[in-house]
Amino acid sequence: MTTTGSALTGSVPSETDLRQRLGVPLDAVQVMVVTESSHWDPDWLLTSRQYFRFCVRRTLDRAIAELLLEPRRVFSLECAFFPDMYWERCPQQRSIFRQLVNEGRLRFTGSGVTTPDTLLPEDECLLRDLLIGQEWLRSRGMNQEPRTLYLPDSFGHSPGIPSLLSAAGVPYAAICRIDGMRFPAAEWESAANFPRPGTSAAKLTAEKTADFIWCGPDGSEVLTHWHAYGYGHGDLIASGGLSRVLGLPAAWPDRREHRVATRIEGYIEELSRLARTPYLLLAIGSDFVRPIPRLVELLDRFNQATYERQGVWVVNAGLDDYLDLVAHHRAALPTLRLDPNPYWMGFYASRPGLKRACRDLSRHLVAADNERARNLVAPGGPTSPSLPASGETAAWWTAVTSNHHDFITGTAPDRVTNGEQWPWLRAALASPPGGATTGDRFAGVAITRCDANDRRSDSLPSFTREGSVVQVTTKWLTAVFDEARGGTLVSLEDAAGNELLAAPSLELVSYMESGGLWRMGSEFWGGRFAVADRSIHHPARITVSCRDEGAHLTVLGALDNRETQVSVELSAHHPNIVVTTSIEAPDRRTVTLSIHQRSSISSLLMHQPGGVVTRPLQRWYEPTFWPLHSFAAALQDAAQAAAGLVFAAAVPTALHATVAGLVEIVVARTATKEVAFGFVPVLAPARGHERGTQITDIALRWLEHADQAALIEAGRALQSCVDRTAGRPEPRWIARVDDCLVEVIAVKPAHRGDGIVVRLRNWGAGGVPRTTALALADELGVEIRRAWLADSNERNLAALPIRNGAVHLEIDRYLTTVRLQWQREQTVRDGRRIRADPAQQSSAAE
């Protein structure tokens, strides 16, 4: 058996050919495709080593044995993380593992190293995840190129997933946890209360479909399946009991013909409620479940007994097989701009220190890749790419593993976070590629200005003090702080004298909550989320220093009987305000930084992986917190994109806004475990604590009457500013573009094929296509010889024209990948300029 379709051409065999290959009768009225896998979290309740020893190795051994027993059987693997451990620790199984993968019977449902969270990591780290997993397969002689992104257990999903998958050349996706759905055993509430009104689950239920065309912010589309009944819906197809999760003794085998038939008929009835095509998808694959013995035999028995009477055929196959079949009925499916959030909200801000380290590592590795590319291209460089150093390979593996939905999310228990995740991150950061040390992690990077329009100020900042009140004046802003009111910002005027605040701001608010690592206490029945303390109730001490760059204030205050520190920078060169909070939050506390702007708020414009989206202030939860990935803007009028406050964060966190103009950004969170009614535990077995000081950097700016392009530009400038504060400067890119709405986000030696790969981000995506010129930096002394449009898995798509030493390309998508080859100038000999051409290798990756 071989995989179907082509990731490069997007071609899919005819429906007739697909049915014949799968052994499905051509006259079958309905077909239920049964996909079998086992969801393996690398580091959730146990460490990856423990999971491998207790569960994964035995499961893979059994899966291989079952595949050899039943030649028509398919068992799916979600990602490369545990297969890599199996490959290294079970060398005697390599040959049969490779054979089964190349036959398409061990079927990868994604090319990544992990099944990632897509709300918190950065674009490049998510794309690199897919590339590194694909290269893991290729480098070991396995020719599968997965055409799906399978995200069964992520807690909500970026609305930009279609844009990311378009960039990667992946046509299909499958998701499970979306806002408003009921997930088995996660709630104490009645199932009758689901789906929640006004949510994505309610929308798909109203459309009567689990399959849809998901349209991203830039117009990219991906055929998507939603597991409405959970990703282990069919786990008990041949068992009695409650669950087969984790191999716990909560189920027993029950292969009796009438019992299996009853269960299959029940699945068909449920799935048919959300089917617009003749095809149904039954997922077997909860956490660490073992393969069902002789599954194909059970399905054959059902078909023989019921097909002539019911006309429904049941077949074991892969997720991509199912989506290939559904693709022939694309016209019957709705096209939706889906934002499946918030599903759960607490993990947006859990374990901020871990989130900071994940982002630091990925930024550092991207910068190091740029320097490797510089060394390859520059005069005197090698004539062909060198293999990445082992330290770099290991560091990137750690970086993409940190994308996992129980890693960067902060939802693993203390013993796993402290025993495995932190050691991985520290090792990767302490031993960076190229021999750099921790102290010069960002060698080869440039400190960028906070704003492209910054100018030196003619007037120096100054301050006055009168009693408890401190006033700071810059060319751009006049800010008044009051020690008697917790050191809060009680007034803020712009250069024209307009008051920007409706109430004291930069106030710390502590919430007592009964939530945990995944959820806030306001998210579940019987939970608690209520104000416990406010910094404005405690006097503070303010110190001020003024210098050419601006004014710096340090506010020492109190909250929850603990000392807090808020540092405020007001620049002399632009109207940005940078706030750094240092807080030690006690258990069961979430602390926000509140800003009360004078203008009202209608909606939020937010950057997420895959694009920029507009979100309502509330969706089901009260209050509704949204993931603040990098930058966002509070819109007064969504139709005209008129803005009040624009803000950016150095580390992913959560924010909440109200119509009255209040914005709250979570700056510290220590929530241990979900508890309902004060004592009833909710099914969320991971328990965690965040000891020590939590540091959060936030940048703010007020704008008026700005369109979306201006808001995005302000957000980008603020992001640069706050990243600089966090010690994260921008690389000195060796490639440049001539469009201010297009930026370089990565340059690297190619993993696949020759040359270097440049990744571009188009902030103007979703509108008219933009024509952009891409060139290499002048100081390199090289000329681009050939160029190809590619996907992020580095498969060439089309040759690109080169004029005057630059690549000219038209882009209308959020992310674009270009492969470059070059000619290098050498010395002048006998009056002639000699060029060395390092690209004498074969021209392209296929």
Side-chain angles (χ1 to χ4, degrees), residues 516-540:
L517 299 173
W518 285 276
R519 290 183 282 189
M520 290 182 168
S522 56
E523 296 182 52
F524 50 88
W525 186 46
R528 181 186 181 192
F529 190 83
V531 174
D533 197 7
R534 311 180 77 106
S535 63
I536 201 169
H537 296 158
H538 310 283

Side-chain angles (χ1 to χ4, degrees), residues 688-772:
H689 304 82
E690 191 73 0
R691 303 304 188 198
T693 301
Q694 302 180 42
I695 299 173
T696 301
D697 303 300
I698 305 291
L700 314 170
R701 173 182 282 190
W702 272 261
L703 291 181
E704 189 175 0
H705 306 304
D707 60 15
Q708 180 165 319
L711 293 174
I712 291 173
E713 182 62 26
R716 291 170 59 192
L718 284 176
Q719 190 65 51
S720 175
C721 188
V722 78
D723 280 337
R724 176 177 136 179
T725 300
R728 230 184 264 135
E730 184 179 349
R732 294 189 183 95
W733 298 116
I734 68 166
R736 54 183 171 80
V737 289
D738 65 351
D739 188 330
C740 64
L741 287 180
V742 178
E743 69 173 328
V744 176
I745 62 169
V747 183
K748 60 182 289 295
H751 273 77
R752 182 175 189 168
D754 305 325
I756 62 172
V757 169
V758 179
R759 194 107 57 232
L760 305 176
R761 178 157 52 198
N762 174 17
W763 292 106
V768 178
R770 312 184 68 83
T771 300
T772 300

Side-chain angles (χ1 to χ4, degrees), residues 590-650:
T590 290
V591 180
T592 66
L593 182 75
S594 67
I595 302 101
H596 294 265
Q597 65 173 32
R598 182 169 292 277
S599 56
S600 62
I601 303 175
S602 68
S603 56
L604 295 166
L605 184 76
M606 306 188 74
H607 174 225
Q608 285 277 217
V612 177
V613 296
T614 302
R615 284 171 161 158
L617 300 185
Q618 183 178 353
R619 182 173 289 168
W620 181 253
Y621 297 122
E622 179 53 48
T624 296
F625 281 87
W626 293 101
L628 177 55
H629 174 270
S630 49
F631 66 81
L635 303 183
Q636 300 174 46
D637 184 340
Q640 299 179 13
L645 180 64
V646 184
F647 35 91

Side-chain angles (χ1 to χ4, degrees), residues 15 19 24-32 268 272 275-280 307-314 329:
E15 189 173 8
R19 284 196 175 204
V24 176
L26 298 182
D27 61 351
V29 177
Q30 271 190 314
V31 179
M32 185 169 77
I268 292 171
S272 295
R276 288 193 176 193
T277 78
Y279 302 104
L280 312 173
Y307 177 67
E308 290 188 4
R309 172 171 49 89
Q310 296 183 345
V312 180
W313 192 264
V314 181
H329 299 264

Side-chain angles (χ1 to χ4, degrees), residues 207-223:
E207 293 279 358
K208 297 183 178 179
T209 186
D211 300 305
F212 61 100
I213 310 303
W214 192 353
C215 184
D218 67 352
S220 298
E221 294 182 348
V222 59
L223 176 58

Side-chain angles (χ1 to χ4, degrees), residues 760 770-774 789 800-801 807-811 816-818:
L760 305 176
R770 312 184 68 83
T771 300
T772 300
L774 167 66
L789 182 68
L800 293 171
V807 180
H808 292 262
L809 64 160
E810 187 177 86
I811 55 177
T816 298
T817 300
V818 179

Side-chain angles (χ1 to χ4, degrees), residues 179-349:
D179 60 304
M181 74 174 289
R182 180 178 182 269
F183 195 84
E187 306 280 351
W188 287 110
E189 287 187 69
S190 167
N193 293 338
F194 298 87
R196 309 287 199 189
T199 62
S200 300
K203 179 183 293 186
L204 288 170
T205 301
E207 293 279 358
K208 297 183 178 179
T209 186
D211 300 305
F212 61 100
I213 310 303
W214 192 353
C215 184
D218 67 352
S220 298
E221 294 182 348
V222 59
L223 176 58
T224 305
H225 178 78
W226 169 44
H227 286 313
Y229 300 97
Y231 57 89
H233 186 198
D235 283 359
L236 296 177
I237 191 172
S239 298
L242 299 175
S243 173
R244 295 173 54 233
V245 172
L246 295 170
L248 299 174
W252 56 89
D254 187 350
R255 299 175 61 89
R256 290 174 294 171
E257 184 173 353
H258 74 281
R259 292 295 297 166
V260 173
T262 298
R263 289 191 181 277
I264 291 177
E265 289 168 355
Y267 297 141
I268 292 171
E269 180 182 356
E270 287 178 314
L271 293 170
S272 295
R273 298 171 194 159
L274 295 173
R276 288 193 176 193
T277 78
Y279 302 104
L280 312 173
L281 180 62
L282 179 66
I284 298 172
S286 289
D287 297 24
F288 299 95
V289 296
R290 301 282 175 85
I292 294 172
R294 303 186 309 282
L295 174 63
V296 173
E297 175 187 303
L298 290 176
L299 304 184
D300 286 348
R301 187 177 69 185
F302 176 83
N303 288 331
Q304 292 166 6
T306 66
Y307 177 67
E308 290 188 4
R309 172 171 49 89
Q310 296 183 345
V312 180
W313 192 264
V314 181
V315 62
N316 168 229
L319 174 62
D320 53 347
D321 293 320
Y322 170 79
L323 290 167
D324 279 343
L325 290 164
V326 171
H328 287 285
H329 299 264
R330 191 182 182 102
L333 303 178
T335 298
L336 304 173
R337 287 187 177 269
L338 200 70
D339 185 358
N341 304 287
Y343 177 72
W344 289 340
M345 305 185 298
F347 75 92
Y348 300 156

